[in-house]
Structures are given as structure tokens and as C-alpha cells.
Amino acid sequence: DKDSLSKDAWPDIMQCSQDMSHVLTVVADSTDALKAVLTSEAYCREWSASLAPHARKIVSFTSPLGLDLVHAKKRDPMLVMHGLQLKEVKEDSDEYGKMMKAIEAISKLPGIDGKIAVSLQPLGSGRYSHEDLLEQLDVKESRAAGITHCFAVLVDEPASYKMLAQSKTYGKWKASYEPYLAGKVLAFCMPVDIAATASAPKDVPKTKQTNGVKK
């Protein structure tokens, strides 16, 4: 739980999670598959009706998966998600290139194979911006809370995240994005009990044509 994590592995979790208490994660292999979920009676009526009396705030966003979700033979697998509000950072800019190099450096840390995987992805899906994707999904209102990018960390156990967060390499990653933050980082974690393989998005834009965090 959050209290244990704050003591043992992640001292800043209370501040970063901003009182968020639960996470709904939806992994889909295409926009059509995700739209089928978000427009289904089970989601629109049953899920939403059960949630409404209890949710004080909902933050919802969609991004490419970026890493394989693997939990078999791992002691206590955990997925940590950081919602970043980055200003004036384009994917072809030098600033973004430095961030990706910092991510690559984390991936090359000795001894992390099978223990830690990381990914930085802009919101949206493939060539769709987040706004265009919401239109494609028939979602009328964005609840992304200003988030533009998602930094994901999959670890085999909380101790591995603590080790990563205390490393100089992780410090360089934070230094690469912090000058471009437009707001507080929203970060949260969850146990991993689903398996999924990341792959390039299949979507191809036509003419012109969500994971939710609850408080």
C-alpha cells in the first residue's frame, strides 16, 4: 500500500499521487478495440454508475504502452506511472532527444534486465495527438489534467524502484525534463496482474478524424 511504499521505497509517493487512491488500466491493441470498451454498456453504464458516488476527481489519459507488461516469476511486480506536463517540447527537438537519451541510459544500467523497464511516450496513439484520439474514441471531454507525456517504470519489486530512484542515472533523467515542467508531476503505482506486449500502434489517420486514475 501507499503507506508502506512511502516508508520502504518511495518517500514522495504521497505528494506525487495527489491523494489518488485507485487506478483502472485498460490495454488495447488498436483504437477500435479501445473504443469498443469505452462505448460498451459495461463501461458506460455499469462501471460509471458504480464509480460516480465515490469518485471526487478523475484523471484519464491514453498513451502507447511502450513496454511489455510481464509479471510471471516476479516477486512483487509494480508499474509506476508519471504524468508529465511538458511545455514547448516537440519530439524532434534537442530537448526531447536529451530526454530519450536519459531513458536509454536507464535501460542500459547493469543488472536491470528482467528487473526494470522504462518508457517515455507522448499522450495519444501513433500519429494521433491526444485531442485527435479522443475525437476518434468519441470521448467528449478531456480529463488529462494538462498531462502531455507518460513516463512508465515496470519493476519486479518495490526495492528495485528504490534502487533506480536513488541512482545518478535517474537523477540525470529528472534533470533532462524538470526545466520544461509546466505543472506538478502526477505519479502513481499499481500492482501488475495483467500481461501485454508492446507493439507499434496500428492506427493510420483518416481524414481527421482512457487508463483512469481516481481520487
Side-chain angles (χ1 to χ4, degrees):
D1 58 29
K2 289 170 68 173
D3 288 334
S4 299
L5 281 172
S6 67
K7 295 176 182 177
D8 301 332
W10 190 1
D12 296 333
I13 187 174
M14 296 300 186
Q15 178 182 351
C16 292
S17 62
Q18 301 177 28
D19 293 329
M20 296 296 174
S21 60
H22 292 76
V23 178
L24 170 68
T25 303
V26 179
V27 180
D29 64 2
S30 68
T31 296
D32 288 342
L34 181 57
K35 183 177 180 179
V37 172
L38 299 183
T39 57
S40 67
E41 182 173 348
Y43 184 90
C44 294
R45 295 181 181 276
E46 298 176 26
W47 163 252
S48 297
S50 66
L51 179 66
H54 310 288
R56 291 186 288 125
K57 180 180 180 181
I58 297 176
V59 176
S60 177
F61 57 87
T62 302
S63 72
L65 184 56
L67 48 74
D68 293 340
L69 295 181
V70 180
H71 60 84
K73 299 181 180 180
K74 296 184 184 297
R75 177 177 297 181
D76 188 11
M78 178 176 77
L79 181 64
V80 183
M81 307 285 280
H82 298 73
L84 308 178
Q85 299 181 47
L86 300 180
K87 56 185 178 182
E88 301 177 358
V89 177
K90 297 182 179 180
E91 291 185 51
D92 59 354
S93 66
D94 291 340
E95 293 81 4
Y96 195 75
K98 291 178 182 178
M99 294 179 200
M100 295 307 296
K101 286 183 179 179
I103 294 293
E104 184 178 356
I106 293 176
S107 299
K108 292 181 177 180
L109 283 171
I112 72 164
D113 188 34
K115 293 184 177 182
I116 301 173
V118 296
S119 171
L120 175 65
Q121 300 286 342
L123 298 199
S125 177
R127 297 180 183 178
Y128 289 118
S129 68
H130 197 244
E131 292 75 16
D132 288 341
L133 179 61
L134 293 182
E135 183 178 345
Q136 184 75 5
L137 296 172
D138 287 339
V139 175
K140 307 303 180 183
E141 177 187 6
S142 175
R143 291 179 168 178
I147 293 170
T148 61
H149 292 75
C150 179
F151 171 58
V153 183
L154 176 67
V155 295
D156 61 338
E157 59 178 336
S160 294
Y161 182 78
K162 180 179 181 179
M163 176 188 68
L164 174 63
Q166 292 177 343
S167 69
K168 292 182 179 180
T169 305
Y170 192 84
K172 291 180 180 178
W173 149 244
K174 292 181 65 177
S176 74
Y177 74 77
E178 285 181 338
Y180 308 101
L181 282 176
K184 293 182 179 180
V185 176
L186 172 62
F188 50 92
C189 62
M190 69 212 83
V192 178
D193 55 7
I194 58 176
T197 300
S199 61
K202 300 177 182 178
D203 301 316
V204 177
K206 300 176 183 176
T207 46
K208 189 185 175 182
Q209 307 244 197
T210 253
N211 324 314
V213 188
K214 288 125 201 120
K215 180 178 179 182

